Amino acid sequence: ATKLKLEMMFIDLLDHFEDQGWTYGSGMGALHHHGYNLQGYYTSCLLMKESIKKEGKLERTFKSMAWLSGLGRTLQLPDQLPSSNIDVFNTLLGSMLSAVLIMDDTPEKLRYLQNYSKWLSKNIAPDHTIEGAFKPDGAVFHHANLYPAYGIGGFTGVAPILYALSGTGLSVEEESHKSFRNSLMMMYQYTNPYKWPISVSGRHPTGTWRIPDSPFAYMAMAGTPDRSSKVDTAMAGIYLKLNDGKTNKW
């Protein structure tokens, strides 16, 4: 009885969202800002797929999820794919994937997954301009300059997705995997042992920001860029170094 009650509460909430304008076609401004507080919307819909489908609202939910996460950006022609920044990686990357995964298994779903992987590969490949996020030397950019505080959001957003796609036909391209890994390695070097200097802090000159550890765990499990090993021991080693003496789920 409790499960059924929760199920109906969830469907009622989706209907309320739809009624209030959280729906396909809405103009909601800078959507990544909503992503900070509404990331749970996308994953909860994915977890509740069968209930949503039972109510005949799967197509409506997919369209809203795709629209509000900006999934359409992945459907551009390869040479016209837009550059994305740390904000997208931080708040919308997993939401975009949830939107695809909620679909029933069809050739159309596979097409979305393939385009998602190609788009992600392009967006984490080395970018030689002030746009994009990851640079050939390992710098991570936001607001057109080196900005490791924002880099944390990018790293924690991208790494779990690279792990989720690893070992499948949808893995990101080797060059892109290397580029992302290189940026993580560079942050490890300029934060030695844990914090980066104020001279590269951008508008967060607090001296308190520190390197995140979970991206290294996910990248360790994502394997090496050339697919020769299922475990990237260098990434695993850094994770263990950052957690020296601690015991946790990893």
Side-chain angles (χ1 to χ4, degrees), residues 10-201:
F10 185 84
I11 298 300
D12 286 346
L13 180 60
L14 291 188
D15 288 343
H16 179 67
F17 278 2
E18 177 83 10
D19 178 68
Q20 295 299 306
W22 184 259
T23 183
Y24 174 80
S26 295
M28 301 289 284
L31 278 167
H32 95 84
H33 280 72
H34 295 288
Y36 287 115
N37 296 317
L38 285 161
Q39 281 177 303
Y41 160 76
Y42 302 93
T43 49
S44 64
C45 286
L46 180 58
L47 290 169
M48 294 291 286
K49 174 183 175 177
E50 293 309 314
S51 297
I52 294 170
K53 187 174 181 178
K54 184 175 68 176
E55 293 295 317
K57 297 177 179 179
L58 183 60
E59 178 63 18
R60 185 191 79 177
T61 303
F62 162 71
K63 289 178 68 176
S64 294
M65 291 172 70
W67 178 262
L68 296 163
S69 66
L71 182 62
R73 78 189 82 216
T74 68
L75 303 180
Q76 296 276 15
L77 294 172
D79 62 342
Q80 297 175 5
L81 286 174
S83 293
S84 291
N85 59 35
I86 290 296
D87 288 332
V88 173
F89 299 144
N90 184 9
T91 66
L92 294 177
L93 190 61
S95 303
M96 294 161 66
L97 184 56
S98 291
V100 179
L101 293 178
I102 202 173
M103 300 174 71
D104 284 333
D105 292 344
T106 60
E108 183 76 353
K109 181 178 184 177
L110 178 60
R111 183 174 75 92
Y112 269 110
L113 286 169
Q114 290 171 333
N115 284 331
Y116 177 84
S117 178
K118 291 175 182 177
W119 166 82
L120 182 56
S121 289
K122 179 182 183 297
N123 274 268
I124 63 173
D127 189 311
H128 295 256
T129 72
I130 60 172
E131 292 185 344
F134 306 113
K135 306 305 167 184
D137 63 355
V140 56
F141 263 45
H142 193 63
H143 295 308
N145 69 109
L146 178 65
Y147 213 148
Y150 274 93
I152 290 176
F155 291 145
T156 56
V158 173
I161 303 300
L162 294 193
Y163 164 61
L165 298 177
S166 66
T168 75
L170 299 163
S171 298
V172 297
E173 296 172 5
E174 182 177 343
E175 179 192 23
S176 302
H177 189 136
K178 282 182 179 177
S179 171
F180 184 75
R181 181 184 187 276
N182 185 44
S183 290
L184 275 172
M185 188 68 77
M186 183 60 69
M187 179 175 277
Y188 172 64
Q189 293 171 359
Y190 65 68
T191 58
N192 187 19
Y194 304 115
K195 299 177 181 179
W196 54 78
I198 290 180
S199 58
V200 296
S201 293

